[in-house]
Amino acid sequence: MAFSADELRVLRRALAIALNPTPVAEEDVQDCLRLAESVDEAIREADRLRAFLLADLARYRDALPGAAGGYTELLQDALAAGYEPRAEDLAALRTLRTTATGDALLRRCRALAEQALRTRLAGQVIGPRRRPRLLALPGSRRANDPAGPRKPSPGGNPAPPQPAPKPSEVFPPRRKPAPPPERRAVAG
C-alpha cells in the first residue's frame, strides 16, 4: 500500500496526536477520518482483487490442459503474492508435469504445501498463541464474567470494587516436606 504525500502528513499528525494527546483541531480529526476511510477502502479493494484472482485461477485450472500457459502464469503470480497451493493445484500441476514449467511449478508447490502443513501441525501441537483479552479496562466487565456485574449499593451509587486478592491468598506458600522418619533397628 502506498500513501500520497498528503496522506503521510496526516498519518504523521495522527501518530503525534496518539503519542502526545492534546486538544485536537476539528480539521485534523476530519483528515484522520478521511485517511482511515481511504485505508479501509484500499483493504476492501485488495480483498476484492484477491477474490477475483483466485476465481480466475480456478477457471484456468478447470480449463486445463488447454489453458496451461495462462494457468501457470497466474499460479506463479499468485505464489509470488503469498498464495498457498491447494490440493487442486497440485493435481492440476501433475497433469502438466510433462512441460518444464509445469514440473518446476509442481516441485515449488509441493515444497510450499509441505511447509504450510508443517506450520499448521506445529501450531496444533504447541497451540495457537492468542492475545489475552484486556478485561482490566474500566467498563470492560461482561455479563458472563464470573464476578458478575457490580450491584448498586442502597444509596444508588455502585458498590466499590472488591480489592484484588493478594498473591499469597491465590498461591499459598509451599510447605516443606516432613523429613522421613528415622528407621531404628530392632534388636532381637
Side-chain angles (χ1 to χ4, degrees), residues 13-187:
R13 278 189 308 215
L15 290 173
I17 291 167
L19 292 174
N20 187 14
T22 58
V24 181
E26 181 67 27
E27 179 183 336
D28 289 341
V29 171
Q30 293 302 320
D31 288 343
C32 289
L33 290 174
R34 279 193 293 276
L35 178 62
E37 288 173 7
S38 296
V39 169
D40 288 343
E41 179 59 33
I43 290 170
R44 285 191 297 271
E45 185 61 31
D47 289 343
R48 284 192 294 268
L49 179 61
R50 179 175 170 80
F52 172 77
L53 290 176
L54 291 178
D56 206 22
L57 185 65
R59 280 193 296 275
Y60 273 85
R61 184 175 50 237
D62 292 341
L64 286 176
Y71 174 70
T72 55
E73 186 178 322
L74 281 174
L75 184 59
Q76 286 174 345
D77 292 344
L79 292 173
Y83 173 73
E84 288 183 7
R86 299 177 182 166
E88 304 89 45
D89 295 312
L90 294 173
L93 287 172
R94 280 187 208 101
T95 65
L96 301 176
R97 185 175 3 195
T98 58
T99 66
T101 306
D103 189 45
L105 265 176
L106 178 61
R107 281 187 269 118
R108 181 177 174 198
C109 287
R110 278 184 182 161
L112 289 172
E114 183 178 325
Q115 180 61 36
L117 179 64
R118 286 183 182 184
T119 302
R120 281 194 301 272
L121 289 176
Q124 289 176 357
V125 171
I126 296 171
R129 294 183 180 171
R130 296 181 184 167
R131 287 184 64 189
R133 287 203 154 132
L134 298 177
L135 296 176
L137 297 175
S140 65
R141 284 192 179 254
R142 299 168 153 200
N144 62 359
D145 191 355
R150 294 187 183 143
K151 296 175 181 150
S153 63
N157 295 331
Q162 294 185 356
K166 297 177 186 173
S168 61
E169 295 171 343
V170 177
F171 304 105
R174 292 185 182 179
R175 307 244 186 263
K176 290 184 180 178
E182 291 183 25
R183 295 185 182 171
R184 296 185 187 184
V186 179

